[in-house]
């Protein structure tokens, strides 16, 4: 009788343990299931937010590009016309002038000619149609030639590999990104030398732009960007992200800055 009672107790304990174990397992399972659903929800929210940010960025870039195209056409049509009229008037005055006045007018005509050349070059650099026809590498060369003509910088440019055309939108974004980098060098770097390397391979476009300027504090620049005091780095990072480029900025105060871009290429 006692043996039967012991067996029942052991059986009861065993069944209770199994039920408890099943309950614990179910609790753990539902906990992890809930965590998985929460994680999936967070991922979906992040993906939606990223998609929204990309849409906003794309709209912003399209608006900027239309604005730049409009400015380029205005420069080419209106400003070029006005400069031509100034040149005609100077030529008329020149025929009636002598001595020192004639020399000043000739100097002014040369300045007007230089101004016309600069306006045309600026119009071309702002007009995306020219960029699409020539290709990114040619437009980059043209931009560097403009910097050379200022005689403020020692500019070196090296290209390796066979040039590959990117999708039209990506080429424009990459070109504007390079303009932003070069513009930052001109405005802030106090550099004397600019070096650019462009490498094409089967799977990657690699671009490096470096200067020997004063460099900058990346943390301070990031704070200013967040406070909207300076948007240069934000624009560069945004454009790089838009074309799926790996962006690396190496800088140190008093040493200079190197900006590296790696863009995956597809057939």
């Amino acid at each position: 009788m006692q043996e039967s009672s012991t067996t029942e107790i052991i059986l009861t304990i065993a069944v209770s343990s199994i039920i408890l174990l099943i309950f614990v397992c179910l609790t753990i399972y539902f906990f992890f299931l809930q965590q998985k659903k929460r994680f999936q929800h967070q991922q979906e929210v992040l993906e939606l937010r990223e998609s929204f940010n990309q849409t906003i960025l794309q709209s912003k870039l399209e608006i900027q590009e239309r604005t730049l195209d409009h400015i380029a056409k205005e420069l080419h049509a209106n400003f070029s016309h006005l400069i031509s009229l100034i040149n005609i008037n100077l030529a008329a005055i020149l025929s009636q002038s002598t001595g020192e006045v004639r020399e000043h007018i000739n100097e002014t005509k040369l300045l007007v000619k230089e101004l016309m050349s600069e306006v045309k070059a600026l119009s071309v650099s702002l007009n995306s149609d020219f960029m699409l026809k020539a290709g990114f590498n040619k437009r980059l060369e043209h931009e560097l030639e403009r910097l050379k003509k200022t005689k403020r910088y020692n500019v070196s440019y090296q290209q390796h590999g066979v040039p590959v055309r990117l999708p039209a939108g990506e080429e424009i974004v990459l070109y504007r990104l390079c303009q932003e980098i070069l513009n930052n060098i001109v405005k802030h770097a106090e550099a004397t030398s600019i070096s650019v390397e462009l490498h094409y391979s089967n799977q990657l476009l690699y671009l490096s732009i470096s200067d020997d300027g004063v460099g900058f504090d990346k943390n301070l620049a990031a704070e200013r960007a967040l406070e909207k005091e300076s948007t240069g780095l934000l624009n560069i990072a945004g454009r790089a992200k838009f074309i799926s480029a790996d962006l690396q900025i190496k800088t140190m105060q008093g040493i200079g800055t190197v900006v590296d871009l790696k863009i995956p290429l597809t057939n």
Side-chain angles (χ1 to χ4, degrees):
M1 189 72 178
Q2 187 176 358
E3 185 178 343
S4 175
S5 178
T6 303
T7 304
E8 286 179 1
I9 293 171
I10 293 172
L11 185 61
T12 302
I13 294 172
V15 170
S16 300
S17 298
I18 292 170
I19 292 172
L20 181 62
L21 181 62
I22 292 171
F23 176 76
V24 170
C25 289
L26 286 172
T27 303
I28 293 172
Y29 170 76
F30 284 115
F31 173 77
F32 279 107
L33 186 64
Q34 188 65 28
Q35 288 296 103
K36 183 179 178 182
K37 287 182 179 179
R38 183 180 299 176
F39 177 75
Q40 287 176 341
H41 176 68
Q42 289 175 344
Q43 286 296 107
E44 288 172 1
V45 170
L46 287 174
E47 287 173 5
L48 285 172
R49 186 178 298 168
E50 182 68 20
S51 176
F52 176 74
N53 290 336
Q54 284 292 89
T55 302
I56 293 294
L57 178 60
Q58 184 173 0
S59 300
K60 180 182 175 182
L61 293 176
E62 286 176 357
I63 291 169
Q64 287 179 347
E65 205 56 42
R66 288 174 188 170
T67 304
L68 291 174
D69 277 343
H70 177 71
I71 294 171
K73 288 167 184 173
E74 288 294 312
L75 282 172
H76 182 72
N78 297 332
F79 281 78
S80 296
H81 178 65
L82 289 172
I83 293 170
S84 297
L85 290 176
I86 292 171
N87 215 18
I88 291 169
N89 288 340
L90 286 173
I93 297 170
L94 183 64
S95 63
Q96 302 171 10
S97 305
T98 57
E100 191 174 335
V101 174
R102 189 180 182 90
E103 288 181 12
H104 284 311
I105 293 173
N106 276 324
E107 289 177 6
T108 305
K109 279 176 65 65
L110 290 174
L111 290 173
V112 169
K113 184 178 180 181
E114 187 176 337
L115 176 61
M116 174 70 89
S117 176
E118 285 298 315
V119 167
K120 285 184 177 179
L122 182 59
S123 175
V124 167
S125 71
L126 295 177
N127 193 328
S128 57
D129 290 338
F130 284 99
M131 214 289 301
L132 292 174
K133 288 177 184 176
F136 165 72
N137 60 314
K138 293 296 181 184
R139 296 311 310 152
L140 178 60
E141 286 182 42
H142 176 80
E143 200 69 23
L144 295 174
E145 284 297 323
R146 286 186 62 208
L147 285 175
K148 275 185 181 179
K149 287 179 181 178
T150 64
K151 298 181 180 177
R152 288 176 56 190
Y153 306 101
N154 176 27
V155 180
S156 67
Y157 174 67
Q158 293 183 356
Q159 180 181 308
H160 305 278
V162 180
V164 176
R165 293 300 300 264
L166 300 174
E170 290 187 20
E171 285 209 336
I172 292 172
V173 172
L174 178 58
Y175 178 57
R176 298 298 180 215
L177 193 159
C178 291
Q179 284 184 314
E180 189 84 46
I181 294 170
L182 295 172
N183 185 50
N184 281 350
I185 293 174
V186 171
K187 287 170 64 177
H188 307 296
E190 300 178 23
T192 57
S193 296
I194 299 172
S195 178
V196 178
E197 291 185 25
L198 180 60
H199 296 257
Y200 288 97
S201 68
N202 291 334
Q203 298 179 334
L204 194 70
L205 183 155
Y206 169 73
L207 176 67
S208 176
I209 301 176
S210 59
D211 66 72
D212 63 348
V214 295
F216 60 92
D217 186 327
K218 288 176 72 173
N219 293 328
L220 181 60
E223 287 177 11
R224 288 178 176 174
L226 290 174
E227 294 169 2
K228 306 296 183 183
E229 292 181 17
S230 174
T231 58
L233 287 178
L234 279 179
N235 289 338
I236 290 170
R239 287 189 168 100
K241 190 174 183 180
F242 186 75
I243 57 176
S244 302
D246 176 24
L247 172 69
Q248 298 290 331
I249 300 177
K250 305 165 192 171
T251 185
M252 188 178 293
Q253 288 182 306
I255 301 296
T257 303
V258 179
V259 181
D260 289 334
L261 278 165
K262 294 178 182 178
I263 304 170
L265 299 177
T266 54
N267 293 327

